Amino acid sequence: MSGLLTIAGLGPGSAALVTPEVSAALADATDVLGYAPYVARVAPREGLRLHPSDNRMELERAGEALNLAAEGRNVVVVSSGDPGVFAMAAAVFETLESYPQWQDVAIRVLPGVTAMLAAAARAGAPLGHDFCAINLSDNLKPWSTIEKRLRLAAEADFAIALYNPRSASRPAGFGRALEILTEAGCGERIIIFAHAVTTPRERVEALPLRDARPEMADMATLVIVGNSATRRVGRWVYAPRRAS
Ligand code: SAH
């Protein structure tokens, strides 16, 4: 029996943004694993086993998925957005590194629309010039690394996408991030708060960074800090394609 492990991105929320390739993989799957709210986005059907699990169970989930695929099952691990962006694909490869017995399992990674791109499209074109993405969660890296990356990204004049900006377990980090960006001279830059984009709860707001408050972000928000040239045209925000 030759099983298959597919690591797939479900996009930011709207069913219209699930790629046809990912839909086809889900239609063929025998098992779907993932964080419970993402597995809940997969329609149940006869012959499909759903395996929802808790947040922060990435390595256990990856091991279970590799094991099922090694037994010959057609397994799909789901992430929101893109599976390679702060998500399950890296967790599967970390697990593979530790368990050589799964080295021969067939694996494929199917891209999805990451939150940053869906948020940028709603605002206009804030990623039209050079940009970077930073995960503000300090679960898997020290906060000092996050501070350093924020400072250097501001100095390099990148537009900055911030994932996982603020959670109940980390209420202070995002406020500190705003302080660091202000100290780095970004107070006049435009900041975009894109909440639950492409879902019925979507809300998108753009304002000068100096007016931003930490409570404007939560775990369903993708934040984009513009570069120094990012500007408004009508209701849109965009980064010009040229830089000095
Ligand atoms: N793999 C995902 C990111 C997982 S990290 C992707 O590629 O999009 C989870 C973070 O993504 C959230 O804290 C939030 O910052 C962002 N996010 C995910 N879905 C979102 C949505 N619909 N709207 C805004 N931000 C979203």
Side-chain angles (χ1 to χ4, degrees):
M1 271 191 305
S2 57
L4 173 64
L5 173 52
T6 301
I7 312 163
L10 296 176
S14 163
L17 293 183
V18 179
T19 68
E21 183 180 47
V22 168
S23 296
L26 291 169
D28 286 345
T30 58
D31 296 80
V32 172
L33 291 83
Y35 177 39
Y38 307 151
V39 172
R41 286 170 55 187
V42 177
R45 61 172 161 76
E46 183 106 11
L48 173 65
R49 284 196 220 152
L50 300 175
H51 308 253
S53 50
D54 243 359
N55 211 356
R56 300 204 193 174
M57 298 287 289
E58 293 91 350
L59 294 182
E60 293 82 348
R61 186 185 301 140
E64 194 186 341
L66 281 160
N67 196 34
L68 286 166
E71 286 171 1
R73 302 189 61 87
N74 190 344
V75 182
V76 180
V77 171
V78 290
S79 286
S80 75
D82 180 272
V85 178
F86 311 131
M88 278 308 294
V92 169
F93 294 120
E94 275 175 36
T95 306
L96 198 59
E97 211 166 38
S98 308
Y99 295 91
Q101 74 265 32
W102 288 323
Q103 225 70 210
D104 295 331
V105 171
I107 297 177
R108 59 183 183 158
V109 183
L110 306 184
V113 178
T114 189
M116 171 180 76
L117 300 184
R122 288 299 194 256
L127 305 178
H129 197 70
D130 299 344
F131 63 88
C132 66
I134 300 177
N135 183 350
L136 282 193
S137 166
D138 60 356
N139 288 340
L140 299 170
K141 64 186 167 195
W143 178 257
S144 57
T145 298
I146 296 174
E147 291 207 357
K148 181 177 170 189
R149 289 183 180 166
L150 284 170
R151 282 203 188 87
L152 292 174
E155 188 189 329
D157 203 11
F158 283 121
I160 308 167
L162 300 173
Y163 283 80
N164 290 311
R166 191 160 167 267
S167 74
S169 60
R170 296 180 287 107
F174 182 61
R176 180 69 195 122
L178 289 176
E179 283 171 16
I180 289 165
L181 292 169
T182 305
E183 287 160 21
C186 301
E188 300 307 313
R189 290 198 194 183
I190 296 175
I191 187 169
I192 299 157
F193 291 89
H195 176 84
V197 282
T198 82
T199 80
R201 298 174 310 285
E202 173 175 308
R203 209 175 54 240
V204 180
E205 195 181 356
L207 63 161
L209 188 136
R210 67 179 135 71
D211 295 334
R213 284 174 286 106
E215 317 77 72
M216 290 176 170
D218 60 15
M219 280 307 272
T221 308
L222 189 288
V223 177
I224 298 177
V225 179
N227 68 18
S228 60
T230 299
R231 62 187 77 164
R232 291 178 189 269
V233 54
R235 70 171 210 72
W236 301 103
V237 175
Y238 84 104
R241 292 170 302 143
R242 292 174 207 280
S244 46

